[in-house]
């Protein structure tokens, strides 16, 4: 367990949701999903990354937080189709950091402030009992029940990867 708690951990504690936090060597350089899974000793299919996606059609629409398996690529066309949107784009690193208040590589759906985002999770997560996500800081990961993540984040399942 890390020496200090992240916002994500405080949220889970407040809601009495069990989780395990693990610190790994991720605070410096970015690592591949495979390296992170190896460092943590967890199956790669259970590691999820959190991406910020923007709608192109209207500036007033809420940005999207999309959680997808770390070993896959987000399919923007498939996601747009799933949401009935014409066009979506990935936020730049600068946009993602400004919108979330977190550093790229450490963005956590559980560390977001308020309801500024629509939260989505790739439907592959339905098959996972436990999911691993960022704790809101590079180098700290949280493992929790997938059902708990969906409940506490308000996420809805979508087709986001092929």
């Amino acid at each position: 367990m890390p020496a200090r708690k992240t916002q994500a951990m405080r949220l889970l504690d407040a809601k009495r949701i069990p989780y395990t936090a693990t610190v790994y060597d991720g605070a410096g350089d970015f690592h591949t999903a495979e390296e992170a899974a190896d460092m943590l000793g967890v199956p790669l299919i259970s590691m999820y990354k959190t991406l910020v996606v923007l709608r192109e059609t209207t500036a007033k629409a809420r940005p999207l937080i999309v959680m997808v398996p770390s070993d896959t690529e987000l399919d923007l066309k498939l996601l747009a189709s799933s949401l009935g949107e014409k066009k979506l784009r990935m936020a730049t690193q600068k946009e993602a950091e400004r919108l979330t208040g977190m550093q790229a590589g450490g963005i956590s759906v559980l560390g977001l402030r308020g309801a500024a985002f629509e939260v989505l999770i790739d439907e592959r997560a339905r098959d996972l009992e436990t999911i691993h996500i960022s704790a809101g800081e590079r180098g700290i990961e949280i493992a929790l029940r997938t059902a708990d993540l969906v409940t506490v984040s308000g996420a809805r399942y979508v087709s986001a990867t092929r």
Side-chain angles (χ1 to χ4, degrees):
M1 189 68 74
R4 66 179 199 84
K5 298 232 177 194
T6 66
Q7 182 64 27
M9 289 182 252
R10 285 190 287 277
L11 172 68
L12 294 171
D13 288 343
K15 297 199 176 279
R16 300 182 191 273
I17 295 173
Y19 66 93
T20 303
T22 305
V23 177
Y24 66 99
D25 178 28
D29 296 329
F30 283 94
H31 293 283
T32 66
E34 291 84 1
E35 289 172 329
D38 284 346
M39 283 188 269
L40 296 167
V42 300
L44 182 59
I45 61 169
S46 70
M47 299 276 302
Y48 271 59
K49 57 189 171 187
T50 304
L51 306 171
V52 179
V53 176
L54 303 173
R55 292 174 167 100
E56 289 280 320
T57 52
T58 174
K60 294 186 180 192
R62 288 189 304 167
L64 307 169
I65 286 289
V66 185
M67 294 174 283
V68 298
S70 291
D71 63 339
T72 65
E73 292 294 320
L74 175 64
D75 185 326
L76 286 170
K77 287 183 180 182
L78 178 62
L79 179 60
S81 176
S82 295
L83 298 174
E85 294 282 338
K86 288 187 183 209
K87 191 169 183 185
L88 300 171
R89 71 173 178 88
M90 290 295 300
T92 65
Q93 179 176 334
K94 191 177 216 174
E95 287 172 323
E97 289 177 347
R98 180 180 51 79
L99 289 166
T100 64
M102 291 174 262
Q103 188 177 31
I107 294 173
S108 175
V109 67
L110 301 179
L112 299 173
R113 299 178 213 102
F117 293 88
E118 183 175 347
V119 180
L120 308 168
I121 188 166
D122 188 72
E123 59 191 15
R124 292 178 192 204
R126 288 183 199 269
D127 298 332
L128 298 174
E129 177 68 27
T130 301
I131 192 165
H132 299 263
I133 63 167
S134 173
E137 187 176 305
R138 284 186 191 172
I140 306 176
E141 168 273 341
I142 292 176
L144 73 160
R145 289 183 56 243
T146 304
D148 289 339
L149 172 64
V150 169
T151 299
V152 75
S153 70
R156 71 180 165 108
Y157 289 102
V158 294
S159 295
T161 61
R162 292 199 190 276

